[in-house]
Every structure is written in structure tokens, then in C-alpha cells.
Amino acid sequence: MRNFPPRRIVCLTEETVETLYLLGEQDRIVGVSGYAVRPPQVRREKPRVSAFISADMPKILALDPDLVLAFSDLQADIIADLVRAGVAVHVFNQRDVAGILAMIRTLGAMVGAADRADQLAQNLEQRLATIAATPRAAPRPKVYFEEWDDPLISGIGWVSELIEIAGGTDALPHLRAHQAAKDRIVTPDAVRVAMPDVILASWCGKKVVPDRIRKREGWRDIPAVRNDRIVEIKSPIILQPGPAALTDGLDAIVKALWAER
């Protein structure tokens, strides 16, 4: 980086945007992903420069960033172009709760706000521990989380962990260690055999249609379908590995599992 702490930051994913706002460092942000919606004012305060796997390179370069923050191999092509243009880039790759907390602390250190970031992470850790320790009625509901509907893709690592923190059991726990979505593809029969009590769905940016889930062949005898326990959780609060998932996302899971009990 040309400056430390960096004065001009472009965020290509939403979780770093939210984290910088929570740290009070939002004035450093000069460009954001089009998916950034937390906090709400970001949509009017910051120019949008990218989608998820595509970006307006001339617009980013015109912002003259000291640092661009990216996420995972999915943004590899964007990252390569930025590096070739001489831009400093940091790529996060968190896929579980521990990784989210580490991202918060790392980002805080990068902007000279290590103490505030550590306090934020500690507060989130305490919140998770409190929710995990909340007494729940037995048995723990078995939960299938659907990240995509065609093909069926089960939940990533942090989602599986949050289901357990909320008092549920992941119906397909062996898949959560797989980072790539293609490695979490499941067959309808595998879900049917798992017999989840609750189906949580977040179709990565498009509206969930519960009736499509109900009408899948052989699914009418699944407890979640039979008892009408199919719940949509909005993508911005669960499918981004940042503070939103550990707060509003977790709260939505808790409500889906226990509000009716």
C-alpha cells in the first residue's frame, strides 16, 4: 500500500463494507460492491463499482484506491487485473465463524483500528456463546439449508455452524467443510432421506418460492414440508461471511427454529 492506514479503500464484497462502518472507518471507503446494503446509507453514500464476479475496472482505477478488498477465488479474474494495474489487493477467504471473526480483526488492524476490531469480535463471540447456551426444548430440529435450487446446493460452513448455535442440527453436516458450491451439490433423494424438520432457503439473491420446494417429487413426506416449516432467509443477512450473518442471520435462524414452539 502507498499509505498506512489506507486512505482510499474499494470493497468488492459487502462484509468488509459493513465491518468498516461498524468500526467507524467508513470514510476510507471510496467504492463498493453493488450488493452492499448494510448499513442502508451505504447505497447513497458510496459509488458502486462491481457485481460479484465482474467489476468496472476503469471506475475502480479512477478512484485511485490505496487498497482493494476482495473475497475468494471467485474474484480471481478481477484481482488479477487489479494487480496487473499496480493496485494493492487483500483477498479474504473466510468460510466459517472463526474465519469471520479473524476477518474482522485483520481488517481492523489494516486500517489502524485493531483495538476496536478486537472489541467488536469479542462482542460477537459473546453473543454467539449466549445464544448457544440458551436452553431449548428437545429434540433439536434437523435443518436442511438450501443455498440454491437448481442444482440443489446445501449451506456453506458458517451457515451450518450458525444452525447448531441456534439449537438445530445440520441435516447434511458432512458437506459443510466444502468451500466450493459445486462440492455441496445434493440430490433431492439425499434431502428426502435426511428427513429435515425445517427447511431454510436462501437462493443467493433471488426470491425463494416455497411452493416449488413442496412440489418436488417425493418431498411431501419430509417433516418440514408436511408441517409447512419452509422459511426463506434473505441472502444479505446469511450468505455474506461477515457481521450480518452473526447477528441478523443468526436471529432469523433462531426465529425459524423456535418461534412456533
Side-chain angles (χ1 to χ4, degrees), residues 44-68:
R44 63 176 182 272
E45 290 181 351
K46 307 296 181 181
R48 286 167 284 190
V49 299
S50 70
F52 188 67
I53 57 173
S54 63
D56 187 332
M57 197 62 57
K59 193 170 185 178
I60 292 173
L61 296 177
L63 291 170
D64 193 27
D66 297 315
L67 177 65
V68 173

mmCIF file with all atom_site columns, all heavy atoms in Angstrom, residues 44-68:
data_model
loop_
_atom_site.group_PDB
_atom_site.id
_atom_site.type_symbol
_atom_site.label_atom_id
_atom_site.label_alt_id
_atom_site.label_comp_id
_atom_site.label_asym_id
_atom_site.label_entity_id
_atom_site.label_seq_id
_atom_site.pdbx_PDB_ins_code
_atom_site.Cartn_x
_atom_site.Cartn_y
_atom_site.Cartn_z
_atom_site.occupancy
_atom_site.B_iso_or_equiv
_atom_site.pdbx_formal_charge
_atom_site.auth_seq_id
_atom_site.auth_comp_id
_atom_site.auth_asym_id
_atom_site.auth_atom_id
_atom_site.pdbx_PDB_model_num
ATOM 1   N N   . ARG A 1 44 ? -26.489 5.202   -0.735  1.00 0.00 ? 44 ARG A N   1
ATOM 2   C CA  . ARG A 1 44 ? -26.491 6.600   -1.188  1.00 0.00 ? 44 ARG A CA  1
ATOM 3   C C   . ARG A 1 44 ? -25.157 7.297   -0.935  1.00 0.00 ? 44 ARG A C   1
ATOM 4   O O   . ARG A 1 44 ? -24.895 8.350   -1.509  1.00 0.00 ? 44 ARG A O   1
ATOM 5   C CB  . ARG A 1 44 ? -27.626 7.378   -0.514  1.00 0.00 ? 44 ARG A CB  1
ATOM 6   C CG  . ARG A 1 44 ? -27.536 7.505   0.980   1.00 0.00 ? 44 ARG A CG  1
ATOM 7   C CD  . ARG A 1 44 ? -28.661 8.390   1.537   1.00 0.00 ? 44 ARG A CD  1
ATOM 8   N NE  . ARG A 1 44 ? -28.544 8.562   2.977   1.00 0.00 ? 44 ARG A NE  1
ATOM 9   C CZ  . ARG A 1 44 ? -29.075 7.749   3.883   1.00 0.00 ? 44 ARG A CZ  1
ATOM 10  N NH1 . ARG A 1 44 ? -29.790 6.696   3.491   1.00 0.00 ? 44 ARG A NH1 1
ATOM 11  N NH2 . ARG A 1 44 ? -28.919 7.978   5.178   1.00 0.00 ? 44 ARG A NH2 1
ATOM 12  N N   . GLU A 1 45 ? -24.322 6.693   -0.088  1.00 0.00 ? 45 GLU A N   1
ATOM 13  C CA  . GLU A 1 45 ? -23.068 7.360   0.267   1.00 0.00 ? 45 GLU A CA  1
ATOM 14  C C   . GLU A 1 45 ? -21.875 6.937   -0.583  1.00 0.00 ? 45 GLU A C   1
ATOM 15  O O   . GLU A 1 45 ? -20.925 7.710   -0.731  1.00 0.00 ? 45 GLU A O   1
ATOM 16  C CB  . GLU A 1 45 ? -22.738 7.067   1.740   1.00 0.00 ? 45 GLU A CB  1
ATOM 17  C CG  . GLU A 1 45 ? -23.661 7.748   2.727   1.00 0.00 ? 45 GLU A CG  1
ATOM 18  C CD  . GLU A 1 45 ? -23.298 7.455   4.180   1.00 0.00 ? 45 GLU A CD  1
ATOM 19  O OE1 . GLU A 1 45 ? -22.434 6.577   4.426   1.00 0.00 ? 45 GLU A OE1 1
ATOM 20  O OE2 . GLU A 1 45 ? -23.877 8.117   5.065   1.00 0.00 ? 45 GLU A OE2 1
ATOM 21  N N   . LYS A 1 46 ? -21.919 5.712   -1.130  1.00 0.00 ? 46 LYS A N   1
ATOM 22  C CA  . LYS A 1 46 ? -20.728 5.185   -1.790  1.00 0.00 ? 46 LYS A CA  1
ATOM 23  C C   . LYS A 1 46 ? -21.028 4.745   -3.226  1.00 0.00 ? 46 LYS A C   1
ATOM 24  O O   . LYS A 1 46 ? -22.039 4.090   -3.481  1.00 0.00 ? 46 LYS A O   1
ATOM 25  C CB  . LYS A 1 46 ? -20.175 3.980   -1.009  1.00 0.00 ? 46 LYS A CB  1
ATOM 26  C CG  . LYS A 1 46 ? -19.926 4.243   0.468   1.00 0.00 ? 46 LYS A CG  1
ATOM 27  C CD  . LYS A 1 46 ? -18.849 5.306   0.708   1.00 0.00 ? 46 LYS A CD  1
ATOM 28  C CE  . LYS A 1 46 ? -18.625 5.518   2.199   1.00 0.00 ? 46 LYS A CE  1
ATOM 29  N NZ  . LYS A 1 46 ? -17.597 6.569   2.447   1.00 0.00 ? 46 LYS A NZ  1
ATOM 30  N N   . PRO A 1 47 ? -20.151 5.073   -4.168  1.00 0.00 ? 47 PRO A N   1
ATOM 31  C CA  . PRO A 1 47 ? -20.355 4.638   -5.556  1.00 0.00 ? 47 PRO A CA  1
ATOM 32  C C   . PRO A 1 47 ? -20.177 3.137   -5.689  1.00 0.00 ? 47 PRO A C   1
ATOM 33  O O   . PRO A 1 47 ? -19.314 2.527   -5.053  1.00 0.00 ? 47 PRO A O   1
ATOM 34  C CB  . PRO A 1 47 ? -19.267 5.391   -6.326  1.00 0.00 ? 47 PRO A CB  1
ATOM 35  C CG  . PRO A 1 47 ? -18.239 5.749   -5.317  1.00 0.00 ? 47 PRO A CG  1
ATOM 36  C CD  . PRO A 1 47 ? -18.960 5.933   -4.016  1.00 0.00 ? 47 PRO A CD  1
ATOM 37  N N   . ARG A 1 48 ? -21.014 2.535   -6.524  1.00 0.00 ? 48 ARG A N   1
ATOM 38  C CA  . ARG A 1 48 ? -20.957 1.097   -6.770  1.00 0.00 ? 48 ARG A CA  1
ATOM 39  C C   . ARG A 1 48 ? -20.055 0.830   -7.970  1.00 0.00 ? 48 ARG A C   1
ATOM 40  O O   . ARG A 1 48 ? -20.227 1.441   -9.030  1.00 0.00 ? 48 ARG A O   1
ATOM 41  C CB  . ARG A 1 48 ? -22.353 0.540   -6.996  1.00 0.00 ? 48 ARG A CB  1
ATOM 42  C CG  . ARG A 1 48 ? -23.160 0.454   -5.697  1.00 0.00 ? 48 ARG A CG  1
ATOM 43  C CD  . ARG A 1 48 ? -24.620 0.207   -5.930  1.00 0.00 ? 48 ARG A CD  1
ATOM 44  N NE  . ARG A 1 48 ? -25.284 1.432   -6.375  1.00 0.00 ? 48 ARG A NE  1
ATOM 45  C CZ  . ARG A 1 48 ? -26.606 1.566   -6.468  1.00 0.00 ? 48 ARG A CZ  1
ATOM 46  N NH1 . ARG A 1 48 ? -27.389 0.560   -6.188  1.00 0.00 ? 48 ARG A NH1 1
ATOM 47  N NH2 . ARG A 1 48 ? -27.120 2.698   -6.878  1.00 0.00 ? 48 ARG A NH2 1
ATOM 48  N N   . VAL A 1 49 ? -19.117 -0.094  -7.780  1.00 0.00 ? 49 VAL A N   1
ATOM 49  C CA  . VAL A 1 49 ? -18.103 -0.310  -8.807  1.00 0.00 ? 49 VAL A CA  1
ATOM 50  C C   . VAL A 1 49 ? -18.020 -1.752  -9.296  1.00 0.00 ? 49 VAL A C   1
ATOM 51  O O   . VAL A 1 49 ? -17.246 -2.047  -10.208 1.00 0.00 ? 49 VAL A O   1
ATOM 52  C CB  . VAL A 1 49 ? -16.715 0.118   -8.288  1.00 0.00 ? 49 VAL A CB  1
ATOM 53  C CG1 . VAL A 1 49 ? -16.701 1.600   -7.926  1.00 0.00 ? 49 VAL A CG1 1
ATOM 54  C CG2 . VAL A 1 49 ? -16.281 -0.726  -7.094  1.00 0.00 ? 49 VAL A CG2 1
ATOM 55  N N   . SER A 1 50 ? -18.812 -2.652  -8.681  1.00 0.00 ? 50 SER A N   1
ATOM 56  C CA  . SER A 1 50 ? -18.678 -4.057  -9.065  1.00 0.00 ? 50 SER A CA  1
ATOM 57  C C   . SER A 1 50 ? -19.945 -4.834  -8.773  1.00 0.00 ? 50 SER A C   1
ATOM 58  O O   . SER A 1 50 ? -20.799 -4.399  -7.990  1.00 0.00 ? 50 SER A O   1
ATOM 59  C CB  . SER A 1 50 ? -17.517 -4.715  -8.297  1.00 0.00 ? 50 SER A CB  1
ATOM 60  O OG  . SER A 1 50 ? -17.849 -4.861  -6.926  1.00 0.00 ? 50 SER A OG  1
ATOM 61  N N   . ALA A 1 51 ? -20.051 -5.990  -9.416  1.00 0.00 ? 51 ALA A N   1
ATOM 62  C CA  . ALA A 1 51 ? -21.012 -7.002  -9.013  1.00 0.00 ? 51 ALA A CA  1
ATOM 63  C C   . ALA A 1 51 ? -20.218 -7.961  -8.125  1.00 0.00 ? 51 ALA A C   1
ATOM 64  O O   . ALA A 1 51 ? -19.422 -7.516  -7.313  1.00 0.00 ? 51 ALA A O   1
ATOM 65  C CB  . ALA A 1 51 ? -21.606 -7.693  -10.231 1.00 0.00 ? 51 ALA A CB  1
ATOM 66  N N   . PHE A 1 52 ? -20.395 -9.289  -8.305  1.00 0.00 ? 52 PHE A N   1
ATOM 67  C CA  . PHE A 1 52 ? -19.579 -10.190 -7.505  1.00 0.00 ? 52 PHE A CA  1
ATOM 68  C C   . PHE A 1 52 ? -18.400 -10.742 -8.307  1.00 0.00 ? 52 PHE A C   1
ATOM 69  O O   . PHE A 1 52 ? -17.266 -10.741 -7.843  1.00 0.00 ? 52 PHE A O   1
ATOM 70  C CB  . PHE A 1 52 ? -20.406 -11.331 -6.927  1.00 0.00 ? 52 PHE A CB  1
ATOM 71  C CG  . PHE A 1 52 ? -19.641 -12.172 -5.944  1.00 0.00 ? 52 PHE A CG  1
ATOM 72  C CD1 . PHE A 1 52 ? -19.241 -11.635 -4.734  1.00 0.00 ? 52 PHE A CD1 1
ATOM 73  C CD2 . PHE A 1 52 ? -19.292 -13.474 -6.230  1.00 0.00 ? 52 PHE A CD2 1
ATOM 74  C CE1 . PHE A 1 52 ? -18.502 -12.380 -3.822  1.00 0.00 ? 52 PHE A CE1 1
ATOM 75  C CE2 . PHE A 1 52 ? -18.557 -14.231 -5.335  1.00 0.00 ? 52 PHE A CE2 1
ATOM 76  C CZ  . PHE A 1 52 ? -18.162 -13.686 -4.125  1.00 0.00 ? 52 PHE A CZ  1
ATOM 77  N N   . ILE A 1 53 ? -18.669 -11.176 -9.525  1.00 0.00 ? 53 ILE A N   1
ATOM 78  C CA  . ILE A 1 53 ? -17.570 -11.731 -10.318 1.00 0.00 ? 53 ILE A CA  1
ATOM 79  C C   . ILE A 1 53 ? -17.223 -10.837 -11.513 1.00 0.00 ? 53 ILE A C   1
ATOM 80  O O   . ILE A 1 53 ? -16.519 -11.250 -12.423 1.00 0.00 ? 53 ILE A O   1
ATOM 81  C CB  . ILE A 1 53 ? -17.876 -13.164 -10.796 1.00 0.00 ? 53 ILE A CB  1
ATOM 82  C CG1 . ILE A 1 53 ? -19.179 -13.209 -11.605 1.00 0.00 ? 53 ILE A CG1 1
ATOM 83  C CG2 . ILE A 1 53 ? -17.958 -14.107 -9.599  1.00 0.00 ? 53 ILE A CG2 1
ATOM 84  C CD1 . ILE A 1 53 ? -19.432 -14.566 -12.239 1.00 0.00 ? 53 ILE A CD1 1
ATOM 85  N N   . SER A 1 54 ? -17.733 -9.623  -11.488 1.00 0.00 ? 54 SER A N   1
ATOM 86  C CA  . SER A 1 54 ? -17.367 -8.655  -12.524 1.00 0.00 ? 54 SER A CA  1
ATOM 87  C C   . SER A 1 54 ? -17.221 -7.285  -11.874 1.00 0.00 ? 54 SER A C   1
ATOM 88  O O   . SER A 1 54 ? -17.807 -7.017  -10.822 1.00 0.00 ? 54 SER A O   1
ATOM 89  C CB  . SER A 1 54 ? -18.431 -8.599  -13.632 1.00 0.00 ? 54 SER A CB  1
ATOM 90  O OG  . SER A 1 54 ? -19.665 -8.146  -13.115 1.00 0.00 ? 54 SER A OG  1
ATOM 91  N N   . ALA A 1 55 ? -16.432 -6.429  -12.505 1.00 0.00 ? 55 ALA A N   1
ATOM 92  C CA  . ALA A 1 55 ? -16.181 -5.108  -11.940 1.00 0.00 ? 55 ALA A CA  1
ATOM 93  C C   . ALA A 1 55 ? -15.942 -4.100  -13.047 1.00 0.00 ? 55 ALA A C   1
ATOM 94  O O   . ALA A 1 55 ? -15.524 -4.450  -14.155 1.00 0.00 ? 55 ALA A O   1
ATOM 95  C CB  . ALA A 1 55 ? -14.985 -5.156  -10.989 1.00 0.00 ? 55 ALA A CB  1
ATOM 96  N N   . ASP A 1 56 ? -16.230 -2.843  -12.750 1.00 0.00 ? 56 ASP A N   1
ATOM 97  C CA  . ASP A 1 56 ? -15.957 -1.736  -13.670 1.00 0.00 ? 56 ASP A CA  1
ATOM 98  C C   . ASP A 1 56 ? -14.526 -1.280  -13.413 1.00 0.00 ? 56 ASP A C   1
ATOM 99  O O   . ASP A 1 56 ? -14.270 -0.407  -12.579 1.00 0.00 ? 56 ASP A O   1
ATOM 100 C CB  . ASP A 1 56 ? -16.957 -0.609  -13.413 1.00 0.00 ? 56 ASP A CB  1
ATOM 101 C CG  . ASP A 1 56 ? -16.855 0.508   -14.437 1.00 0.00 ? 56 ASP A CG  1
ATOM 102 O OD1 . ASP A 1 56 ? -15.758 0.717   -14.989 1.00 0.00 ? 56 ASP A OD1 1
ATOM 103 O OD2 . ASP A 1 56 ? -17.874 1.188   -14.672 1.00 0.00 ? 56 ASP A OD2 1
ATOM 104 N N   . MET A 1 57 ? -13.580 -1.888  -14.121 1.00 0.00 ? 57 MET A N   1
ATOM 105 C CA  . MET A 1 57 ? -12.166 -1.623  -13.852 1.00 0.00 ? 57 MET A CA  1
ATOM 106 C C   . MET A 1 57 ? -11.799 -0.153  -14.036 1.00 0.00 ? 57 MET A C   1
ATOM 107 O O   . MET A 1 57 ? -11.109 0.427   -13.179 1.00 0.00 ? 57 MET A O   1
ATOM 108 C CB  . MET A 1 57 ? -11.293 -2.529  -14.725 1.00 0.00 ? 57 MET A CB  1
ATOM 109 C CG  . MET A 1 57 ? -9.857  -2.633  -14.264 1.00 0.00 ? 57 MET A CG  1
ATOM 110 S SD  . MET A 1 57 ? -9.692  -3.348  -12.598 1.00 0.00 ? 57 MET A SD  1
ATOM 111 C CE  . MET A 1 57 ? -10.540 -4.923  -12.823 1.00 0.00 ? 57 MET A CE  1
ATOM 112 N N   . PRO A 1 58 ? -12.210 0.509   -15.126 1.00 0.00 ? 58 PRO A N   1
ATOM 113 C CA  . PRO A 1 58 ? -11.875 1.936   -15.248 1.00 0.00 ? 58 PRO A CA  1
ATOM 114 C C   . PRO A 1 58 ? -12.404 2.768   -14.078 1.00 0.00 ? 58 PRO A C   1
ATOM 115 O O   . PRO A 1 58 ? -11.730 3.697   -13.620 1.00 0.00 ? 58 PRO A O   1
ATOM 116 C CB  . PRO A 1 58 ? -12.534 2.336   -16.572 1.00 0.00 ? 58 PRO A CB  1
ATOM 117 C CG  . PRO A 1 58 ? -12.586 1.063   -17.357 1.00 0.00 ? 58 PRO A CG  1
ATOM 118 C CD  . PRO A 1 58 ? -12.879 -0.003  -16.344 1.00 0.00 ? 58 PRO A CD  1
ATOM 119 N N   . LYS A 1 59 ? -13.589 2.432   -13.597 1.00 0.00 ? 59 LYS A N   1
ATOM 120 C CA  . LYS A 1 59 ? -14.164 3.187   -12.488 1.00 0.00 ? 59 LYS A CA  1
ATOM 121 C C   . LYS A 1 59 ? -13.356 2.979   -11.205 1.00 0.00 ? 59 LYS A C   1
ATOM 122 O O   . LYS A 1 59 ? -13.105 3.931   -10.456 1.00 0.00 ? 59 LYS A O   1
ATOM 123 C CB  . LYS A 1 59 ? -15.619 2.762   -12.275 1.00 0.00 ? 59 LYS A CB  1
ATOM 124 C CG  . LYS A 1 59 ? -16.416 3.690   -11.365 1.00 0.00 ? 59 LYS A CG  1
ATOM 125 C CD  . LYS A 1 59 ? -17.897 3.334   -11.407 1.00 0.00 ? 59 LYS A CD  1
ATOM 126 C CE  . LYS A 1 59 ? -18.723 4.326   -10.604 1.00 0.00 ? 59 LYS A CE  1
ATOM 127 N NZ  . LYS A 1 59 ? -20.179 4.003   -10.674 1.00 0.00 ? 59 LYS A NZ  1
ATOM 128 N N   . ILE A 1 60 ? -12.947 1.736   -10.974 1.00 0.00 ? 60 ILE A N   1
ATOM 129 C CA  . ILE A 1 60 ? -12.122 1.452   -9.790  1.00 0.00 ? 60 ILE A CA  1
ATOM 130 C C   . ILE A 1 60 ? -10.801 2.205   -9.869  1.00 0.00 ? 60 ILE A C   1
ATOM 131 O O   . ILE A 1 60 ? -10.381 2.860   -8.908  1.00 0.00 ? 60 ILE A O   1
ATOM 132 C CB  . ILE A 1 60 ? -11.868 -0.063  -9.644  1.00 0.00 ? 60 ILE A CB  1
ATOM 133 C CG1 . ILE A 1 60 ? -13.174 -0.793  -9.303  1.00 0.00 ? 60 ILE A CG1 1
ATOM 134 C CG2 . ILE A 1 60 ? -10.822 -0.334  -8.560  1.00 0.00 ? 60 ILE A CG2 1
ATOM 135 C CD1 . ILE A 1 60 ? -13.053 -2.301  -9.294  1.00 0.00 ? 60 ILE A CD1 1
ATOM 136 N N   . LEU A 1 61 ? -10.138 2.136   -11.011 1.00 0.00 ? 61 LEU A N   1
ATOM 137 C CA  . LEU A 1 61 ? -8.840  2.796   -11.154 1.00 0.00 ? 61 LEU A CA  1
ATOM 138 C C   . LEU A 1 61 ? -8.970  4.314   -11.034 1.00 0.00 ? 61 LEU A C   1
ATOM 139 O O   . LEU A 1 61 ? -8.078  4.978   -10.499 1.00 0.00 ? 61 LEU A O   1
ATOM 140 C CB  . LEU A 1 61 ? -8.204  2.410   -12.486 1.00 0.00 ? 61 LEU A CB  1
ATOM 141 C CG  . LEU A 1 61 ? -7.861  0.917   -12.634 1.00 0.00 ? 61 LEU A CG  1
ATOM 142 C CD1 . LEU A 1 61 ? -7.291  0.639   -14.022 1.00 0.00 ? 61 LEU A CD1 1
ATOM 143 C CD2 . LEU A 1 61 ? -6.884  0.471   -11.555 1.00 0.00 ? 61 LEU A CD2 1
ATOM 144 N N   . ALA A 1 62 ? -10.088 4.858   -11.522 1.00 0.00 ? 62 ALA A N   1
ATOM 145 C CA  . ALA A 1 62 ? -10.308 6.303   -11.427 1.00 0.00 ? 62 ALA A CA  1
ATOM 146 C C   . ALA A 1 62 ? -10.458 6.752   -9.974  1.00 0.00 ? 62 ALA A C   1
ATOM 147 O O   . ALA A 1 62 ? -10.180 7.925   -9.652  1.00 0.00 ? 62 ALA A O   1
ATOM 148 C CB  . ALA A 1 62 ? -11.545 6.700   -12.227 1.00 0.00 ? 62 ALA A CB  1
ATOM 149 N N   . LEU A 1 63 ? -10.860 5.843   -9.095  1.00 0.00 ? 63 LEU A N   1
ATOM 150 C CA  . LEU A 1 63 ? -10.999 6.166   -7.676  1.00 0.00 ? 63 LEU A CA  1
ATOM 151 C C   . LEU A 1 63 ? -9.648  6.199   -6.962  1.00 0.00 ? 63 LEU A C   1
ATOM 152 O O   . LEU A 1 63 ? -9.572  6.601   -5.801  1.00 0.00 ? 63 LEU A O   1
ATOM 153 C CB  . LEU A 1 63 ? -11.921 5.151   -6.990  1.00 0.00 ? 63 LEU A CB  1
ATOM 154 C CG  . LEU A 1 63 ? -13.397 5.232   -7.396  1.00 0.00 ? 63 LEU A CG  1
ATOM 155 C CD1 . LEU A 1 63 ? -14.158 4.027   -6.858  1.00 0.00 ? 63 LEU A CD1 1
ATOM 156 C CD2 . LEU A 1 63 ? -14.026 6.536   -6.894  1.00 0.00 ? 63 LEU A CD2 1
ATOM 157 N N   . ASP A 1 64 ? -8.607  5.748   -7.643  1.00 0.00 ? 64 ASP A N   1
ATOM 158 C CA  . ASP A 1 64 ? -7.241  5.793   -7.126  1.00 0.00 ? 64 ASP A CA  1
ATOM 159 C C   . ASP A 1 64 ? -7.128  5.159   -5.729  1.00 0.00 ? 64 ASP A C   1
ATOM 160 O O   . ASP A 1 64 ? -6.649  5.792   -4.776  1.00 0.00 ? 64 ASP A O   1
ATOM 161 C CB  . ASP A 1 64 ? -6.754  7.246   -7.071  1.00 0.00 ? 64 ASP A CB  1
ATOM 162 C CG  . ASP A 1 64 ? -5.245  7.354   -6.838  1.00 0.00 ? 64 ASP A CG  1
ATOM 163 O OD1 . ASP A 1 64 ? -4.525  6.413   -7.223  1.00 0.00 ? 64 ASP A OD1 1
ATOM 164 O OD2 . ASP A 1 64 ? -4.815  8.365   -6.250  1.00 0.00 ? 64 ASP A OD2 1
ATOM 165 N N   . PRO A 1 65 ? -7.537  3.902   -5.595  1.00 0.00 ? 65 PRO A N   1
ATOM 166 C CA  . PRO A 1 65 ? -7.532  3.277   -4.261  1.00 0.00 ? 65 PRO A CA  1
ATOM 167 C C   . PRO A 1 65 ? -6.121  2.943   -3.768  1.00 0.00 ? 65 PRO A C   1
ATOM 168 O O   . PRO A 1 65 ? -5.251  2.558   -4.543  1.00 0.00 ? 65 PRO A O   1
ATOM 169 C CB  . PRO A 1 65 ? -8.343  1.998   -4.483  1.00 0.00 ? 65 PRO A CB  1
ATOM 170 C CG  . PRO A 1 65 ? -8.122  1.652   -5.920  1.00 0.00 ? 65 PRO A CG  1
ATOM 171 C CD  . PRO A 1 65 ? -8.047  2.984   -6.637  1.00 0.00 ? 65 PRO A CD  1
ATOM 172 N N   . ASP A 1 66 ? -5.927  3.100   -2.461  1.00 0.00 ? 66 ASP A N   1
ATOM 173 C CA  . ASP A 1 66 ? -4.713  2.590   -1.826  1.00 0.00 ? 66 ASP A CA  1
ATOM 174 C C   . ASP A 1 66 ? -4.807  1.080   -1.655  1.00 0.00 ? 66 ASP A C   1
ATOM 175 O O   . ASP A 1 66 ? -3.781  0.393   -1.616  1.00 0.00 ? 66 ASP A O   1
ATOM 176 C CB  . ASP A 1 66 ? -4.543  3.199   -0.427  1.00 0.00 ? 66 ASP A CB  1
ATOM 177 C CG  . ASP A 1 66 ? -4.374  4.699   -0.454  1.00 0.00 ? 66 ASP A CG  1
ATOM 178 O OD1 . ASP A 1 66 ? -3.589  5.179   -1.292  1.00 0.00 ? 66 ASP A OD1 1
ATOM 179 O OD2 . ASP A 1 66 ? -5.021  5.389   0.356   1.00 0.00 ? 66 ASP A OD2 1
ATOM 180 N N   . LEU A 1 67 ? -6.040  0.582   -1.525  1.00 0.00 ? 67 LEU A N   1
ATOM 181 C CA  . LEU A 1 67 ? -6.252  -0.828  -1.226  1.00 0.00 ? 67 LEU A CA  1
ATOM 182 C C   . LEU A 1 67 ? -7.608  -1.258  -1.755  1.00 0.00 ? 67 LEU A C   1
ATOM 183 O O   . LEU A 1 67 ? -8.600  -0.536  -1.626  1.00 0.00 ? 67 LEU A O   1
ATOM 184 C CB  . LEU A 1 67 ? -6.211  -1.058  0.292   1.00 0.00 ? 67 LEU A CB  1
ATOM 185 C CG  . LEU A 1 67 ? -6.493  -2.465  0.812   1.00 0.00 ? 67 LEU A CG  1
ATOM 186 C CD1 . LEU A 1 67 ? -5.399  -3.438  0.359   1.00 0.00 ? 67 LEU A CD1 1
ATOM 187 C CD2 . LEU A 1 67 ? -6.604  -2.462  2.338   1.00 0.00 ? 67 LEU A CD2 1
ATOM 188 N N   . VAL A 1 68 ? -7.646  -2.447  -2.352  1.00 0.00 ? 68 VAL A N   1
ATOM 189 C CA  . VAL A 1 68 ? -8.916  -3.069  -2.743  1.00 0.00 ? 68 VAL A CA  1
ATOM 190 C C   . VAL A 1 68 ? -9.073  -4.345  -1.922  1.00 0.00 ? 68 VAL A C   1
ATOM 191 O O   . VAL A 1 68 ? -8.142  -5.154  -1.819  1.00 0.00 ? 68 VAL A O   1
ATOM 192 C CB  . VAL A 1 68 ? -8.947  -3.400  -4.251  1.00 0.00 ? 68 VAL A CB  1
ATOM 193 C CG1 . VAL A 1 68 ? -10.206 -4.194  -4.600  1.00 0.00 ? 68 VAL A CG1 1
ATOM 194 C CG2 . VAL A 1 68 ? -8.903  -2.116  -5.074  1.00 0.00 ? 68 VAL A CG2 1
#
